[in-house]
Amino acid sequence: MPRTDSPIHPQATPQLERLAGSLRQVKETSGLSYRALGEAAHYSAASLSQAASGRKLPTWAITWAYVRTCDPDADRDYWRSLWESAAQAQAELAAARDAADTAEEETSPIPEQGRPPIRILLQQEVDRQQQAPTPGALDSGRMALVLCTSAADFRDLLADLADGQSPDHLKKKARRKNRALGRRDIRTILEGPALPTPEVLHAFLVACDVEQRHYHEWHSTLTRLRIAQMPVIEGDPDEHGMARNVRTSLRSGLRNARNNLDTMISLITLILMIIQIMQDKT
């Protein structure tokens, strides 16, 4: 028995609701099921059902394939004007939402003053070293990672790496180098409050053309920040003390292994395994 369509999405604009309703009507008139419609239109049944749901604007290609399969004599100009009206309404809605988000950001209270941004701390440290050179001093890149103490600091450094490149551009660069990096991953890296996963961080470094010899510095910083965020396991005193000792030992090992790449990689692998185990317990 052919399935029936769910009600048109309640948040659809009037224009999108009209388009979705017209698609449903032409399909009902044709008597085709979504499976038969998909086979004839060369689109999946799910994509065609979504086109008539009112949840989002379908592409013109899907819309016209849907219509002409149901009605070979359909008026293309009529359907194009119907689709363009819905597209215009969606664009206006998106612009209104962007304006509201911008207004909210501008009126949001300024956060309390605390630790200076990492860029200021880095410049202060560079100035200090220029005034009093220290043997074996770190370069600015490594220094920035050493000064990084929070997810916000790490996000600022990653944004500097991106240097204004669009998510689509970074995604394509990662793909050319056989790395999977989605737009959602990039938004999480540049805007999200949480730290990225090691896999996403690695793909991002590759897309940003970071030299391979610097990878371990970024990964060790990520691991250090994740350790700092590890919750203490609630339970009896022995478990409490074990969690504290694990964190202390890991931090000590991380400092001792900083200049040994092989040891660092092994330590990072061990740390990630321990983090997963502790998260499973919580």
Side-chain angles (χ1 to χ4, degrees), residues 105-171:
E105 291 175 0
E106 292 176 350
T107 57
S108 297
I110 299 175
E112 296 182 2
Q113 295 297 319
R115 178 177 178 270
I118 191 168
R119 293 183 180 88
I120 295 178
L121 291 176
L122 178 59
Q123 186 58 53
Q124 291 174 348
E125 182 63 19
V126 170
D127 293 342
R128 185 189 67 78
Q129 290 196 10
Q130 288 178 343
Q131 294 173 3
T134 303
L138 301 176
D139 60 50
S140 60
R142 294 181 63 193
M143 189 190 306
L145 292 173
V146 170
L147 293 172
C148 185
T149 60
S150 69
D153 287 345
F154 201 60
R155 189 165 57 248
D156 286 345
L157 296 180
L158 291 170
D160 287 343
L161 278 185
D163 194 24
Q165 298 179 79
S166 70
D168 284 338
H169 184 60
L170 291 171
K171 178 181 176 181

Side-chain angles (χ1 to χ4, degrees), residues 13-272:
T13 62
Q15 296 84 348
L16 183 57
E17 183 178 2
R18 183 184 177 197
L19 175 63
S22 297
L23 289 172
R24 294 181 180 205
Q25 185 176 1
V26 75
K27 172 182 170 292
E28 183 177 351
T29 300
S30 72
L32 293 172
S33 66
Y34 273 116
R35 171 180 287 185
L37 179 58
E39 291 175 353
H42 304 293
Y43 283 97
S44 69
S47 297
L48 296 169
S49 176
Q50 178 76 7
S53 69
R55 289 184 174 274
K56 64 177 184 178
L57 179 72
T59 64
W60 166 244
I62 289 180
T63 301
W64 182 235
Y66 187 119
V67 172
R68 70 181 178 184
T69 303
C70 293
D71 179 9
D73 297 324
D75 184 342
R76 187 180 188 280
D77 292 339
Y78 166 78
W79 283 97
R80 180 71 186 190
S81 65
L82 201 64
W83 181 86
E84 288 180 349
S85 177
Q88 178 65 28
Q90 292 299 105
E92 292 173 356
L93 180 61
R97 287 174 177 170
D98 288 344
D101 290 343
T102 301
E104 182 179 352
E105 291 175 0
E106 292 176 350
T107 57
S108 297
I110 299 175
E112 296 182 2
Q113 295 297 319
R115 178 177 178 270
I118 191 168
R119 293 183 180 88
I120 295 178
L121 291 176
L122 178 59
Q123 186 58 53
Q124 291 174 348
E125 182 63 19
V126 170
D127 293 342
R128 185 189 67 78
Q129 290 196 10
Q130 288 178 343
Q131 294 173 3
T134 303
L138 301 176
D139 60 50
S140 60
R142 294 181 63 193
M143 189 190 306
L145 292 173
V146 170
L147 293 172
C148 185
T149 60
S150 69
D153 287 345
F154 201 60
R155 189 165 57 248
D156 286 345
L157 296 180
L158 291 170
D160 287 343
L161 278 185
D163 194 24
Q165 298 179 79
S166 70
D168 284 338
H169 184 60
L170 291 171
K171 178 181 176 181
K172 291 178 182 177
K173 288 177 65 179
R175 184 184 303 165
R176 286 198 297 267
K177 297 180 181 180
N178 298 319
R179 296 289 174 179
L181 186 66
R183 296 191 64 183
R184 180 177 298 179
D185 295 329
I186 298 171
R187 285 197 298 270
T188 298
I189 287 175
L190 301 180
E191 303 170 11
L195 291 166
T197 64
E199 294 79 7
V200 170
L201 171 63
H202 193 79
F204 188 80
L205 296 177
V206 171
C208 291
D209 301 316
V210 174
E211 294 183 26
Q212 187 172 357
R213 62 191 177 93
H214 294 309
Y215 288 174
H216 74 281
E217 297 165 5
W218 285 92
H219 280 286
S220 63
T221 301
L222 173 62
T223 302
R224 172 167 57 82
L225 295 177
R226 293 185 69 182
I227 292 172
Q229 291 183 349
M230 284 172 58
V232 175
I233 301 175
E234 295 183 0
D236 58 49
D238 290 340
E239 289 178 344
H240 188 104
M242 180 189 72
R244 185 184 300 109
N245 290 337
V246 167
R247 291 176 63 171
T248 301
S249 298
L250 290 175
R251 287 171 177 166
S252 176
L254 189 62
R255 285 194 299 269
N256 294 335
R258 183 169 293 163
N259 295 320
N260 189 320
L261 178 56
D262 294 334
T263 304
M264 178 67 70
I265 293 174
S266 299
L267 180 61
I268 289 174
T269 303
L270 175 62
I271 288 170
L272 294 178

